[in-house]
Amino acid sequence: HSIRFTVFDHDVAGSNDFMGLAIVKRSEILKVLFPNGEDNPINDGRHTFDLKLEGRSGAEQKRVTGRIYIEVMHRPVEASESWDDAKLPSINPSKPTPRK
């Protein structure tokens, strides 16, 4: 299992341009948050991933040069709440969390 990010710019006039894509595997996320396979995550269950954008084809790859930073947070859902009711903190997308 993995999470795929497809990134486009936003054009006021004309169509939005493909900027690249990035994929992070679930196993990679779990390895970083739970390095020893323990029940408690490290770093308060947070980690910022630095992902290099890639093209969809070989020729397109030469034009793609960007990166995205995503912050992943592990928070177990309590037995008394559902995923819909889970209160997750908001992340300000304009200010990425500094890397540790």
Side-chain angles (χ1 to χ4, degrees):
H1 301 290
S2 59
I3 301 171
R4 177 182 171 146
F5 299 91
T6 305
V7 181
F8 290 84
D9 71 355
H10 177 73
D11 294 331
V12 176
S15 61
N16 299 334
D17 300 312
F18 173 77
M19 302 301 292
L21 62 90
I23 298 172
V24 62
K25 294 181 180 179
R26 179 179 179 266
S27 59
E28 184 180 349
I29 294 170
L30 294 175
K31 186 182 350 178
V32 169
L33 294 179
F34 300 92
N36 300 318
E38 62 228 21
D39 291 335
N40 296 320
I42 62 167
N43 298 326
D44 296 325
R46 290 178 185 251
H47 183 75
T48 300
F49 286 86
D50 173 3
L51 305 175
K52 181 179 183 291
L53 293 176
E54 300 177 1
R56 295 177 282 203
S57 66
E60 189 176 69
Q61 180 58 42
K62 294 177 183 176
R63 296 189 312 267
V64 174
T65 60
R67 306 186 82 75
I68 61 171
Y69 298 89
I70 62 162
E71 183 174 294
V72 176
M73 183 183 127
H74 173 269
R75 179 189 175 274
V77 176
E78 300 297 327
S80 62
E81 63 185 348
S82 70
W83 280 106
D84 293 334
D85 297 331
K87 293 175 177 55
L88 300 176
S90 62
I91 297 173
N92 182 348
S94 64
K95 293 184 179 180
T97 302
R99 298 181 70 200
K100 294 180 181 180

